[in-house]
Amino acid sequence: QQFHKMDEQEIKQWQTIYPAYINSRITIKQGRRVGKEVGVSNPTILEIAEICKFLDLKVCLEPNKGYPKDSFSRGRVRVLFKDNDGQMKHDTILTKKALLHKFCEMIPKLKGRQDNPTGVNPEDEEEKAAEAAAGAEAAPQSRAEKKAEKKAEKKAAKKRNKKKGNGKW
């Protein structure tokens, strides 16, 4: 358990990226940190994590964390692009702002965005989250978070069964 807590403390030092930071559909007051013309329409934590992996940056997905300015917006990404010594992990990305601009540049080029440039279908996002979480470092979770996640998974499975017509009635 000591090791687990150390990992949690280490991850807390990483930079936090919320999808709202680069979402062109929200205002600066709502949390956007890049220009509207530079931003991306409805980015997801999975897309941000995919770009981080491409850039060889360590990433940790936290799908259950909420954005403080918008309680309905769920998920954030923790990125390590600076060592404890202050040494940068990437040659061209020197600031958090530069990292956000790199996300805005690369997300529209993703394979999933070629078919759907306005964003990813929310129903498909749950299935992709499980695949991406397998490759990313797992975020430390409390017992209550695990219970809530399990409940949400059951609800999503029930919803999928209803759409397929496999319901009880």
Side-chain angles (χ1 to χ4, degrees):
Q1 287 185 350
Q2 292 277 342
F3 181 70
H4 183 49
K5 288 198 181 266
M6 190 177 89
D7 277 348
E8 186 177 343
Q9 290 300 320
E10 185 181 317
I11 289 171
K12 282 185 178 181
Q13 302 300 317
W14 297 8
Q15 292 292 316
T16 304
I17 307 290
Y18 290 97
Y21 290 174
I22 58 173
N23 191 347
S24 64
R25 292 188 171 209
I26 64 173
T27 64
I28 289 176
K29 190 173 183 178
Q30 292 171 324
R32 182 171 37 88
R33 293 192 178 183
V34 296
K36 195 169 198 161
E37 55 282 338
V38 176
V40 180
S41 176
N42 297 325
T44 65
I45 60 172
L46 301 174
E47 292 170 333
I48 294 170
E50 191 174 337
I51 300 299
C52 289
K53 286 180 189 175
F54 177 77
L55 297 172
D56 290 328
L57 298 172
K58 282 189 175 181
V59 63
C60 177
L61 295 175
E62 297 178 326
N64 297 325
K65 299 292 184 177
Y67 183 49
K69 288 188 178 184
D70 180 11
S71 59
F72 296 110
S73 177
R74 305 305 290 169
R76 71 180 178 195
V77 178
R78 294 279 189 147
V79 180
L80 178 68
F81 71 96
K82 192 188 310 185
D83 282 339
N84 292 339
D85 307 334
Q87 197 72 8
M88 295 299 179
K89 292 280 191 177
H90 200 271
D91 298 337
T92 58
I93 300 170
L94 304 176
T95 63
K96 189 173 183 176
K97 191 91 162 175
L99 183 63
L100 295 177
H101 280 277
K102 194 70 167 175
F103 291 147
C104 292
E105 175 189 326
M106 296 183 77
I107 286 176
K109 297 175 186 175
L110 289 174
K111 191 175 183 180
R113 285 286 177 138
Q114 300 297 324
D115 301 332
N116 187 6
T118 59
V120 178
N121 185 0
E123 295 172 1
D124 296 339
E125 188 175 348
E126 290 175 11
E127 294 171 3
K128 289 181 183 178
E131 294 171 14
E137 291 187 35
Q141 291 183 329
S142 69
R143 190 173 188 177
E145 287 174 332
K146 287 179 184 177
K147 190 174 181 179
E149 185 178 336
K150 191 171 184 178
K151 188 175 181 179
E153 286 174 7
K154 281 185 178 180
K155 194 173 184 179
K158 190 175 181 180
K159 190 175 183 181
R160 280 194 301 269
N161 285 338
K162 276 188 176 181
K163 284 188 177 184
K164 289 180 183 177
N166 296 341
K168 291 181 180 177
W169 306 104

